[in-house]
Amino acid sequence: MYRELYEQAQAVKAYSYAPYSHLHVGAALLCADGTMYTGVNVENASYGGTICAERSAAVTAVSHGNKDFEAIAICSDEGEAWPCGICRQFLYEFAPDMKVITGNSEEELEVMELSALMPKGWTL
Ligand code: THU
């Protein structure tokens, strides 16, 4: 299951828009009902406008009425890619206990709980 998710992240990476960093990132987010949403990093000439692949997938899921995140797989041109701090906090909002999956290939995946990557995340 995590393998399939990772393969999807790997596949959508091709859609990444990264003319500035040239680092293409893909993410695949699995929700509790089994639906999967994908996302890529989309950069902008105003660099701060860039959105990461993970947040792109999360925004797509929420936009479809799905906030019950179970797992997210991330894949970059350089293989293993753990979410940045902003993405950790963004995902933490919805599912602190979700699984985060990455790795250098579908054969060697690493899985961690978001709460371990983002202990004591911000809540209101
Ligand atoms: N990036 C992601 O897509 N996810 C992360 O967790 C960190 C960084 C993207 C943003 C930017 O387009 C490129 O990687 C280089 O930082």
Side-chain angles (χ1 to χ4, degrees):
M1 194 257 281
Y2 289 160
R3 192 183 169 128
E4 195 186 316
L5 207 58
Y6 181 87
E7 282 168 355
Q8 284 299 319
Q10 209 169 26
V12 296
K13 190 163 67 68
Y15 303 135
S16 148
Y17 177 74
Y20 306 108
S21 75
H22 304 289
L23 182 71
H24 303 96
V25 187
L29 174 66
L30 180 70
C31 289
D33 68 356
T35 313
M36 198 181 59
Y37 300 92
T38 57
V40 296
N41 56 328
V42 182
E43 298 186 346
N44 193 273
S46 177
Y47 296 167
T50 294
I51 185 166
C52 295
E54 299 92 318
R55 275 177 291 139
S56 168
V59 164
T60 301
V62 175
S63 302
H64 283 83
N66 215 333
K67 296 189 284 281
D68 211 351
F69 302 170
E70 244 182 43
I72 189 167
I74 307 124
C75 175
S76 85
D77 284 334
E78 293 171 4
E80 184 173 301
W82 295 101
C84 76
I86 299 172
C87 289
R88 291 177 195 201
Q89 174 64 36
F90 197 88
L91 295 168
Y92 188 91
E93 175 82 17
F94 300 100
D97 296 328
M98 71 186 293
K99 300 285 191 293
V100 179
I101 300 119
T102 189
N104 287 313
S105 77
E106 62 271 28
E107 260 98 62
E108 36 173 327
L109 297 181
E110 282 192 67
V111 183
M112 282 189 73
E113 251 186 34
L114 179 61
S115 54
L117 292 168
M118 185 73 191
K120 299 184 192 288
W122 184 258
T123 55
L124 288 177

